[in-house]
Amino acid sequence: MTTPTGSPAWVRSSAFDTYGGDANKSNYQSQGVVNPRTDVGAEGFSRLVADVAALVRTAEFCSMLVQCDDVTPGPPTVLNCRLMTGVAATSYVGNAPPSGFPSVARNGNGDVSVTFAGSYSDEYGVAGTFIVKDPVANLVASSGGVSVPERVSSAVIRVRSFDLSAVAVSNAKFTLTVGSGS
Amino acid sequence: MFGGFGGILPLRLGGSATLGWAASQHARLAADLASASRTAPLASLTVLLAATPAVESYHGRNGSGLAFAPTAALLATGRLRLTWPNACAAELFLDGVAIRFPWTTRHVVASGHYNAAPVIATVAAISPTIIDINVYKWNGAAWALSNERISLRTFGDWLPEARIGDYDGATDKVDCNTETEPYVWLWYQEFTAMLGSAFSNAQTGIVHAKKLTLARFEAGKTRAVERARCNSVPATADDCLEQWVECLKVPTRDSDQRWQIRQRCAAKFKGAIGATQSNIDAACSALLGSGFITTIHQTGSDLDHPPLLTYWPGINPGPTQMDLGGGTWSSERAHITVVLVKPPPSQLSDFLYQSNVALFQQLDRLLPAKCGFNWTTSVQGFLLDGAAHSDGSISQLDFDGLTPS
């Protein structure tokens, strides 16, 4: 079983050398590629690891679409949820998330708390601490309004939705994207 | 192949799932990485506005941590200015020194953080290195500028747009069929056999070190021979590609990647064999790749019933607009129709260059000097010298369409 170097992507600590890059990477004996149709040379490899490291540092850990239920009232429905660790195949009720996906609890009209785990594992089984960073929320509505995130803790984000008069929006629908990192 | 004796750059694609990396797998990685890098954020950060604004969290393509963060300045209450350097160092190196690339922000998404009342962040202005953001908080009666916490994600350009060639990808990449076992390992086994049982076979100690040194030396020579052979034809040339470009007079642009130039050289080189039907097909296919559909050749030996658009003066006179003097002479047997498919709009400029410049020069070299070229389009795509009908014939309408006005 291979154990990858470094930490999972959501720790955002990887650099080019995590993926095998080196400032002085070169082909053996400083020769060019033998056959450009079959070979990957030092230059291509170096750009590859640099780009992967750059992407991993800014890629969002989570992107989700949430529909509040303020009529019943009941727990919100997560219509779509994409994590770095997997994509939910179907929507789910916020208080019964599939294993590995965040739960979403109702606090009030247009007001929910999204709770993540403190650690997630990648496909090699390597665990990495998850810390909520840089949440961005957007209200999905035909009329004006705003969804506002609040970082409650390293694993919890609270999102409230308001109309243009700062009145809570009932049955709000919003998107939330979440970064991560140390 | 990875690791041990043969795991040295350049990597030779192919091998087993456990020890190797297939060309098709590398191709998928190159394509996906190029795709992802086009849409991924440039930076993700959280800032607390105050008299001295504080960047609390920063993760950018240029690095993670506050050392890589932009400078934050408060222009007025609730008005924030973020300033990045004109250029940021990348994890790409020239002679061991990091290369700097211009930092260009194109657009931004932002959110204010709730603070006892809703907070809104709006982007007031964007320039390549400066973003101005206004932050409003509901004061009970209206939205008023206020110093609050905001998060934002920026999108834009930094390194040159990633393309598969940047990762040594190419549309004709294949598994290596020469060094299927690392040359070093084969030479090492050879030396082990030559030394016989009087010497240790353990992969430690001075005997192993000497065998390995010699094996790598010999493998380097073996690769050099293969490299020379590959450079002897343009389809597999890398070190000598520039010489092939010069020799074949292949058109190039600054935006061309090496694999595109190499394929263009290879296609033109096929012209040296002669203008056979199969060679023309192969050359067009090699040049145009997935954009090439087919060529249509007019054939047949029934001279009593020649194909449409066969004209000769006196017997079967043709239209006067096709008469260059002495009557109209025309035969579809002298036409080749190259049918191309129009790619997605994002690749259209490359396609038009290939069609208008590279293909014209290719056919000009392949076909007899008396041949002329022209092109037209139809809803099906991009056609050279006449539209393709289901039976392969060329209609009069297309000739009219090709007449310069």
Side-chain angles (χ1 to χ4, degrees):
Chain A
M1 178 67 182
T2 303
T3 302
T5 55
S7 299
W10 49 91
V11 180
R12 284 178 164 174
S13 62
S14 294
F16 70 109
D17 52 359
T18 308
Y19 304 107
D22 187 278
N24 295 302
K25 203 81 171 179
S26 62
N27 290 320
Y28 186 55
Q29 296 177 335
S30 297
Q31 299 295 305
V33 297
V34 178
N35 182 343
R37 289 192 66 196
T38 64
D39 301 351
V40 178
E43 295 84 359
F45 180 80
S46 295
R47 176 70 194 264
L48 187 148
V49 296
D51 281 7
V52 170
L55 283 179
V56 165
R57 281 194 290 266
T58 64
E60 293 154 346
F61 175 76
C62 169
S63 171
M64 62 197 306
L65 175 64
V66 177
Q67 171 71 65
C68 298
D69 177 8
D70 299 321
V71 175
T72 306
T77 299
V78 178
L79 299 173
N80 185 268
C81 184
R82 320 177 79 82
L83 302 184
M84 278 188 172
T85 52
V87 178
T90 59
S91 62
Y92 63 88
V93 179
N95 63 354
S99 176
F101 287 86
S103 63
V104 184
R106 180 179 184 276
N107 303 313
N109 280 1
D111 181 353
V112 302
S113 291
V114 184
T115 302
F116 296 87
S119 174
Y120 291 89
S121 294
D122 65 17
E123 292 183 62
Y124 289 91
V126 178
T129 303
F130 173 74
I131 300 174
V132 166
K133 296 283 182 183
D134 316 327
V136 172
N138 284 289
L139 182 68
V140 179
S142 56
S143 55
V146 60
S147 290
V148 187
E150 178 189 13
R151 186 176 178 273
V152 177
S153 71
S154 62
V156 179
I157 299 171
R158 187 168 178 177
V159 181
R160 299 173 176 87
S161 298
F162 302 91
D163 63 16
L164 295 178
S165 300
V167 176
V169 175
S170 181
N171 275 347
K173 183 193 284 188
F174 65 87
T175 61
L176 174 67
T177 60
V178 180
S180 57
S182 52
Chain B
M1 284 151 282
F2 294 105
F5 293 89
I8 50 180
L9 291 170
L11 289 174
R12 316 298 309 267
L13 294 174
S16 66
T18 50
L19 299 174
W21 194 15
S24 55
Q25 294 166 329
H26 169 260
R28 170 50 55 208
L29 183 140
D32 286 1
L33 186 53
S35 300
S37 72
R38 292 183 184 117
T39 61
L42 205 54
S44 175
L45 63 158
T46 296
V47 185
L48 177 60
L49 277 68
T52 304
V55 178
E56 297 182 327
S57 156
Y58 181 84
H59 296 93
R61 291 207 189 186
N62 56 331
S64 277
L66 302 184
F68 301 94
T71 303
L74 196 70
L75 303 176
T77 299
R79 297 187 188 276
L80 175 71
R81 170 165 290 179
L82 296 170
T83 306
W84 274 267
N86 289 330
C88 297
E91 292 177 321
L92 296 173
F93 301 89
L94 184 63
D95 296 331
V97 179
I99 306 171
R100 299 174 70 81
F101 290 94
W103 186 270
T104 306
T105 302
R106 301 290 187 190
H107 62 269
V108 180
V109 293
S111 261
H113 287 226
Y114 187 84
N115 182 18
V119 174
I120 294 176
T122 61
V123 180
I126 300 175
S127 70
T129 57
I130 297 175
I131 301 171
D132 288 347
I133 296 177
N134 294 344
V135 182
Y136 302 87
K137 183 178 179 180
W138 182 257
N139 64 8
W143 296 96
L145 287 165
S146 176
N147 290 342
E148 304 295 335
R149 179 178 282 110
I150 62 168
S151 288
L152 57 152
R153 262 181 271 297
T154 71
F155 299 82
D157 305 316
W158 183 37
L159 297 183
E161 181 186 340
R163 299 164 68 192
I164 58 171
D166 294 329
Y167 314 123
D168 272 352
T171 55
D172 59 351
K173 212 82 173 177
V174 294
D175 287 346
C176 178
N177 61 8
T178 52
E179 196 173 352
T180 52
E181 285 284 331
Y183 289 148
V184 180
W185 174 239
L186 296 178
W187 278 107
Y188 185 90
Q189 288 179 306
E190 193 72 23
F191 289 127
T192 300
M194 289 163 62
L195 289 174
S197 57
F199 292 85
S200 167
N201 284 340
Q203 289 184 3
T204 57
I206 189 66
V207 174
H208 164 70
K210 286 186 173 181
K211 283 193 295 185
L212 185 57
T213 301
L214 288 171
R216 287 193 159 178
F217 176 70
E218 292 296 339
K221 288 198 294 184
T222 309
R223 280 190 167 187
V225 171
E226 185 181 342
R227 184 181 297 110
R229 183 167 60 79
C230 288
N231 276 292
S232 67
V233 289
T236 52
D238 190 65
D239 290 342
C240 294
L241 187 58
E242 284 72 20
Q243 283 84 348
W244 280 113
V245 169
E246 180 64 23
C247 170
L248 295 169
K249 303 296 181 198
V250 165
T252 61
R253 298 181 299 174
D254 288 343
S255 59
D256 285 332
Q257 297 205 295
R258 284 183 74 78
W259 66 270
Q260 293 174 309
I261 298 172
R262 178 173 56 74
Q263 289 186 357
R264 211 171 289 154
C265 288
K268 200 158 190 179
F269 189 64
K270 290 181 188 295
I273 306 170
T276 63
Q277 183 170 326
S278 62
N279 192 38
I280 292 171
D281 289 357
C284 291
S285 176
L287 178 70
L288 301 167
S290 59
F292 174 73
I293 302 298
T294 186
T295 57
I296 299 172
H297 300 263
Q298 306 297 329
T299 58
S301 58
D302 183 0
L303 298 179
D304 290 335
H305 301 90
L308 294 172
L309 301 179
T310 301
Y311 303 116
W312 63 95
I315 306 300
N316 187 24
T320 55
Q321 64 266 33
M322 295 169 62
D323 180 4
L324 298 177
T328 297
W329 292 85
S330 170
S331 171
E332 285 195 9
R333 292 186 179 88
H335 285 84
I336 297 172
T337 305
V338 183
V339 184
L340 316 178
V341 65
K342 189 170 69 176
S346 62
Q347 301 158 22
L348 193 58
S349 64
D350 269 352
F351 173 77
L352 292 176
Y353 179 78
Q354 288 282 73
S355 307
N356 286 334
V357 179
L359 179 60
F360 269 44
Q361 293 192 9
Q362 175 89 312
L363 293 173
D364 193 33
R365 178 186 170 91
L366 267 175
L367 300 175
K370 63 179 180 291
C371 292
F373 308 92
N374 214 329
W375 60 267
T376 186
T377 58
S378 75
V379 289
Q380 284 82 29
F382 188 90
L383 305 172
L384 184 72
D385 210 359
H389 290 184
S390 58
D391 62 355
S393 66
I394 302 170
S395 72
Q396 180 63 57
L397 177 64
D398 299 305
F399 279 107
D400 289 341
L402 293 173
T403 302
S405 58

